[in-house]
Amino acid sequence: MRVGAHVSIAGGVDNAVGNELDVGGNCGQIFTHSPQVWQDPDIGAKEAERFRAQTDAELNGPWVIHSSYLVNLCTPKPDLREKSAASMQAEIDAASTLDIEYVNVHLGAHTGAGVDTGLENAVSVLDELSIPDDVTVLIESDAGSGTKLGGEFEHLATVLERSEQELDVCLDTAHAFAAGYDLSSADAVNATIATFDDVVGLEHLRCIHLNDSKHALGTNKDEHAHIGEGEIGEDGMRALINHPALETIPFVLETPSEDGKGFEWNIDRVRALRN
């Protein structure tokens, strides 16, 4: 079973490996810099070499780079589009340097341009990127609040179909639940996974952000809860963790650190729920 968490790179990207091991993970996710600012990754050759060597020796993988929160692929604004494209290219280049397989990104918000125009904007930005064969961009499902796109599986499918790039998907369970896809029981999980397969295709599912939700089904509110302790609940989480179509997909946790529980507790919880 491949399960891990989003960990810090404070002090150097190579520190992420030890941080992942400390919480019991064997795969994981990082930011290459603060996600709240426009900043390029600053990764030295020696720390990159240490990261690659330690990853090969200690982890099962994969790693995922999560793009900056400021990136908006759907924007109609030329300046934001340019910054978003440049930021994505920098993350892709960093992933290639670090031998990281995936770069994860939200589609962003169309901010009044309309759904179809927003999706076309996203496709056009993605198609400008130079993506090497050893890196894949993952489009992450969204909670769908406001004009944000990616809450509907059809949005993800449209981008994959229209883009000239070989793109895949990261499914966030809390986001999908908030967007109206029920995951709170075994039957609901089966139905939602079948819908995803029909609309997007399970062959495109490369990573799952495994998070419970603090808010009810279809509320479009994105706030993560501890595994089995949110609105998805233990039954839903157990069904996800043991679903036969997901058994080879890496689970990456973005659960909170609160109530005396952090990533280690949540990773242990995932393993305890695995049959």
Side-chain angles (χ1 to χ4, degrees), residues 2 102 136 138-139 153 156-157 160-161 167-173 183 188-208 239-240 242-251:
R2 293 185 292 172
Y102 300 121
T136 300
L138 304 181
I139 308 302
F153 291 163
L156 309 176
L160 267 58
E161 290 166 3
L167 307 171
D168 286 312
V169 170
C170 173
L171 179 66
D172 186 303
T173 55
L183 296 167
V189 167
N190 288 337
T192 292
I193 296 302
T195 298
F196 181 93
D197 192 25
D198 287 343
V199 176
V200 182
L202 280 167
E203 68 274 15
H204 290 294
L205 182 59
R206 299 299 181 194
C207 180
I208 292 176
L240 282 161
N242 292 287
H243 195 286
L246 309 181
E247 62 182 1
T248 63
I249 306 297
F251 294 114

Side-chain angles (χ1 to χ4, degrees), residues 216-228:
L217 177 68
T219 56
N220 302 120
K221 293 181 178 179
D222 176 14
E223 193 174 5
H224 300 174
H226 295 304
I227 299 298

Side-chain angles (χ1 to χ4, degrees), residues 3-7 20 23 25 27-29 63 251-254 263 267:
V3 58
H6 185 116
V7 295
E20 194 64 64
V23 297
C27 63
Q29 180 174 269
W63 281 108
F251 294 114
V252 175
L253 278 61
E254 301 168 322
F263 284 140
I267 289 173

Side-chain angles (χ1 to χ4, degrees), residues 52-88:
R52 294 191 298 266
Q54 291 172 22
T55 293
D56 289 344
E58 303 286 354
L59 301 178
N60 294 339
W63 281 108
V64 181
I65 290 176
H66 196 300
S67 65
S68 168
Y69 291 144
L70 300 180
V71 168
N72 186 350
L73 303 181
C74 296
T75 183
K77 300 176 181 178
D79 58 337
L80 182 53
R81 170 196 170 92
E82 183 177 348
K83 288 181 178 179
S84 297
S87 180
M88 281 298 297

Side-chain angles (χ1 to χ4, degrees), residues 13 49 87 104 120 134 154-155 192 246:
V13 69
E49 183 179 355
S87 180
N104 181 76
E120 284 291 347
D134 60 348
E154 286 79 5
H155 296 168
T192 292
L246 309 181

Side-chain angles (χ1 to χ4, degrees), residues 171-184:
L171 179 66
D172 186 303
T173 55
H175 295 174
F177 187 75
Y181 295 98
D182 195 1
L183 296 167
S184 61

